Amino acid sequence: MTEPILDITGLNKSFGPVHVLHDVDFAVRAGEVTALVGDNGAGKSTLVKCVAGIYGTDSGRVRFRGEEVHIRGPKDAADLGIEVVYQDLALADNLDIVQNMFLGRERGSAWLLDEANMEQAARETLASLSVRTVKSVRTPVSALSGGQRQTVAIAKSVLWDSKVVLLDEPTAALGVAQTRQVLDLVRRLAEQGLGVVLISHNMADVFEVADRIAVLYLGRMAAEVHTKDVTHGQVVELITAGRSGDIGLARPENAVL
Ligand SMILES: Nc1ncnc2c1ncn2[C@@H]1O[C@H](COP(=O)(O)OP(=O)(O)OP(=O)(O)O)[C@@H](O)[C@H]1O
Ligand SMILES: [Mg+2]
């Protein structure tokens, strides 16, 4: 069994009096897709934002490549190579693909951006991910379809020598063909050696691309299992009840408090 590239233990997070994450353990492995599933409000996005340094945590340890790290802000996470594609996509509509991919990290001097260099890098990144549906990297994002936008957002996250990419519901708003495209891309990221986390409510997608499935139930990690060891039905039961047979929380009923 490979050591996790990112290993979180005992993470707690409250918003004021609301305790959202309870002693959460979560591991991400390089070269694998880990699906993070759970009902609405289970705490998936919150967990991702804690890992990305958007939210501070109340307690917990984070190890990255075997060493303890302290992620105090988004820059700390980015410096480690942890990138997030958020549920509410953060792309600027009025900018083109290259401008979006390099937003805030432009190449060149303050006077003269190295447009040719950035354009080339954007093109190479899309090509390395076998993205073929985007005709020109100078297309404004407002002119792209939902799937193409998602693709650009994902490509942006791997442009920075990323090691771990967390995708918060990348296929939620997509049609069949576009979902296909994004799922292929998710698989390819893992094949390139990245640790990939996929948040999704779609069990078919999860079973298709994930090597492991982690189930959050009311802010508690109910189970972390190999996809091949469980059925759709078991995962649905873990999501809705926190337990399925002998997998899951010992006392899910206590989780409600
Ligand atoms: N900024 C915040 N302030 C207060 N409470 C919050 C905040 N963000 C999230 N919460 C609460 O934390 C809980 C978990 O929310 P979170 O967004 O992590 O769920 P989720 O698993 O991503 O759900 P979904 O599947 O709907 O995206 C919810 O009860 C939510 O109301
Ligand atoms: Mg969410």
Side-chain angles (χ1 to χ4, degrees):
M1 204 167 94
T2 53
E3 279 295 302
I5 184 165
L6 178 68
D7 195 12
I8 293 155
T9 45
L11 192 144
N12 282 278
K13 171 68 185 167
S14 299
F15 292 105
V18 187
H19 196 165
V20 174
L21 297 174
H22 301 256
D23 295 321
V24 168
D25 294 348
F26 183 55
V28 181
R29 289 173 172 81
E32 290 192 1
V33 177
T34 302
L36 179 59
V37 302
D39 238 332
N40 293 123
K44 305 178 295 297
S45 295
T46 303
L47 175 56
V48 163
K49 285 178 180 165
C50 288
V51 174
I54 307 286
Y55 295 152
T57 58
D58 303 331
S59 63
R61 285 180 67 178
V62 180
R63 262 171 303 231
F64 189 79
R65 294 172 137 179
E67 303 213 348
E68 185 158 359
V69 293
H70 298 277
I71 299 174
R72 296 193 178 87
K75 187 166 183 308
D76 289 347
D79 286 347
L80 291 169
I82 299 172
E83 292 284 335
V84 182
V85 178
Y86 293 100
Q87 195 163 10
D88 30 35
L89 277 186
L91 291 179
D93 260 3
N94 54 329
L95 301 180
D96 68 30
I97 293 174
V98 178
Q99 290 167 325
N100 262 288
M101 285 173 76
F102 285 91
L103 194 60
R105 311 191 213 187
E106 289 83 357
R107 289 182 186 170
S109 68
W111 317 104
L112 190 65
L113 296 181
D114 193 345
E115 292 290 346
N117 177 301
M118 292 191 289
E119 203 173 301
Q120 176 75 7
R123 230 184 261 119
E124 280 171 10
T125 304
L126 289 170
S128 77
L129 298 169
S130 305
V131 174
R132 290 187 200 87
T133 65
V134 177
K135 288 200 185 65
S136 161
V137 288
R138 287 302 176 184
T139 311
V141 161
S142 56
L144 298 178
S145 74
Q148 289 171 331
R149 278 169 201 238
Q150 196 58 247
T151 304
V152 169
I154 294 171
K156 178 181 179 178
S157 74
V158 302
L159 193 58
W160 315 105
D161 192 25
S162 326
K163 304 287 183 287
V164 172
V165 176
L166 305 113
L167 306 159
D168 198 348
E169 303 203 38
T171 59
L174 304 184
V176 178
Q178 297 189 331
T179 296
R180 176 78 278 123
Q181 217 178 292
V182 170
L183 291 180
D184 287 346
L185 189 49
V186 167
R187 236 5 282 179
R188 237 171 280 135
L189 297 181
E191 281 157 18
Q192 291 191 0
L194 276 79
V196 183
V197 176
L198 172 73
I199 297 182
S200 176
H201 285 280
N202 186 311
M203 281 308 115
D205 292 358
V206 165
F207 272 81
E208 185 188 324
V209 299
D211 301 289
R212 291 170 204 262
I213 304 174
V215 187
L216 269 179
Y217 176 75
L218 297 172
R220 287 175 168 83
M221 194 54 80
E224 216 174 338
V225 291
H226 280 285
T227 310
K228 61 176 169 47
D229 294 340
V230 287
T231 63
H232 285 224
Q234 281 176 305
V235 175
V236 170
E237 213 177 333
L238 284 165
I239 290 171
T240 54
R243 188 172 179 81
S244 171
D246 51 12
I247 319 172
L249 298 170
R251 296 176 180 279
E253 61 280 7
N254 291 355
V256 180
L257 290 178

